[in-house]
Structures are given as structure tokens and as C-alpha cells.
Amino acid sequence: MIDLYTAATPNGWKASITLEELGVPYTVHPIALAEGAQKQPEYLRINPNGRIPTIVDRDADDFAVFESGAIMIYLAEKHGALMPSDPKGRSRVIQWLMFQMGGIGPMQGQANVFHRYAPEKIPYAIDRYQSETKRLYRVLDTRLADSEYLCGDYSIADIANWSWVSLHFWAGVDIDDLPHLQRWVAAIRERPAVQRGIAIPEPIKLDDGGEEVRKMAQSMLQTGAGAD
């Protein structure tokens, strides 16, 4: 049994989708980010960085894993799926996972901040992060022109990148001119495990213009709480 501490964010989705795809039993513990639950002492004992997601593997002496990418690798390798076992295949998956963690996540995250949340609109910052996010999308599109998924077979690399790219519109970045990326985004969205995973712990509400999400993010930025 896995305990999953999470919230409705792209990084949170990375963990919940992975668990759903693997069919691993887990218990959800929602973390109220706007209330600063991720900074409470009891949570910091399992995740010293005070972010989400975190898992605790009850079948492995309550072993805690934090950082979304580390969680995905741990689960995939433990359960022998979503990650090749051969060194080259494993390396390819980790490369594209790191591409998301070191590139798309930080750049798109900052695009979200300056495009959606910052109290002052700074055109240079908005253009800087939206442009870099789009450049990274082009890298994915080029890769996907030659492969159905990022590493041949569907893997945690696809889950990680999709969790962010699927919300491209929230960062103000379009993918209309990236047909291979569009095809990949749509195909993964249709997977039942993905649909279940993005509803954990609750669906992100953006159909009303995302006012609730915006207010929460602005509050967290003001208090320095951070999200994930």
C-alpha cells in the first residue's frame, strides 16, 4: 500500500497517473497548499522540501520518497513497468524525464507565474518564459515526429511531460503549429488511467477562467509557501 500526499497540480498528476497506470493500491492524502499544510512539521518529516507530491511505501518499512521524478522512477522500477530494464532504454526514459524536470516544468511554471499570477505584468518576463516553453515544445514535437511516444513505448517520460504540456493554454502557449505534439497530447488524454489520475485528489477547475486556481497561486506566492 502506498500513501500519496498530493494536490491538484501537474507535479501531483505525475505521481497519481503513474500509480493508476501501474494499478498499485494507494491511499490519497490531500495537501491543502493554500493553507500551508506542506510546511507543517508532520509533513516536513517525510518531505523536508515542503512540496508535493510525496509517497510513503508502507510495504517497504514506511519508506518515503519525495520529488515527483524520483517517485516515478521508484514506482516504475519497483513494479517493473513504464521503464525499460535495459541500460540504454532506461537511460532514454530518464533523459526525457529530466527534460521535463529541468526544462518544461521550470520554464512553463514561470510562464504561469508571469502570465497568470504576477500582480504586475512584465512583458519581458512573459515573453521570455513563454518563448522558452514553446522552444521546448518544438523539441518534443520533433521527437514525436519519429516515435509514437517519447521513448518508443509509453513510459513515465510521457506521463511527466504530458502532465505539464496538457496545460499549455494556462501558460499562454499554443501548440496549433505542432501536429505531432497535438496528436500525442490527445492520445494520452484518452487513456483511462490518465483520466483517473488527473482527478486526484480533485479535478483542476479551469472552466470558469481558473479564478480559484489563480487566487490560490497568488496567495501562495505572496506568502512564499510554494506549491511543488
Side-chain angles (χ1 to χ4, degrees):
M1 178 65 70
I2 297 290
D3 282 343
L4 171 64
Y5 298 82
T6 192
T9 75
N11 282 345
W13 286 355
K14 288 160 65 177
S16 55
I17 292 172
T18 299
L19 286 162
E20 289 289 342
E21 290 282 10
L22 292 170
V24 175
Y26 66 101
T27 299
V28 178
H29 301 272
I31 298 297
L33 299 177
E35 298 173 13
Q38 71 277 26
K39 299 299 182 181
Q40 296 304 306
E42 59 269 25
Y43 186 72
L44 292 173
R45 279 195 287 271
I46 61 171
N47 185 335
N49 195 35
R51 296 290 191 269
I52 63 95
T54 304
I55 65 167
V56 176
D57 190 344
R58 299 302 181 191
D59 293 331
D61 300 319
D62 294 347
F63 183 64
V65 186
F66 68 95
E67 290 298 321
S68 56
I71 290 170
M72 300 177 87
I73 293 170
Y74 176 81
L75 291 171
E77 293 190 331
K78 179 174 181 176
H79 296 280
L82 301 175
M83 167 85 85
S85 58
D86 66 288
K88 289 183 179 179
R90 181 179 184 276
S91 177
R92 289 189 189 98
V93 169
I94 291 177
Q95 287 173 56
W96 285 104
L97 175 61
M98 295 302 108
F99 175 85
Q100 182 276 307
M101 296 190 67
I104 285 182
M107 295 299 104
Q108 187 170 330
Q110 291 301 311
N112 288 339
V113 168
F114 288 104
H115 177 62
R116 293 283 182 180
Y117 312 140
E120 177 186 356
K121 295 297 183 183
I122 305 173
Y124 175 81
I126 295 171
D127 181 67
R128 164 77 177 93
Y129 290 111
Q130 287 181 338
S131 296
E132 180 60 9
T133 299
K134 185 62 177 275
R135 185 191 71 80
L136 294 167
Y137 286 179
R138 292 192 189 98
V139 174
L140 291 175
D141 189 69
T142 299
R143 171 61 179 164
L144 292 166
D146 299 320
S147 181
E148 181 179 6
Y149 297 110
L150 290 173
C151 302
D153 294 329
Y154 181 70
S155 72
I156 58 173
D158 296 289
I159 296 171
N161 282 278
W162 183 91
S163 294
W164 281 87
V165 177
S166 65
L167 292 176
H168 62 90
F169 59 90
W170 190 247
V173 182
D174 70 76
I175 61 172
D176 294 346
D177 58 338
L178 303 175
H180 310 295
L181 189 63
Q182 288 184 64
R183 182 265 307 163
W184 172 85
V185 167
I188 293 177
R189 190 183 301 277
E190 292 301 311
R191 296 180 67 91
V194 171
Q195 294 177 13
R196 294 192 299 271
I198 62 175
I200 300 297
E202 72 275 326
I204 293 179
K205 298 177 181 178
L206 299 176
D207 54 353
D208 60 350
E211 190 59 28
E212 182 178 335
V213 173
R214 184 182 295 107
K215 287 180 179 179
M216 182 186 73
Q218 289 174 335
S219 173
M220 293 171 65
L221 288 170
Q222 290 169 2
T223 60
D228 50 14

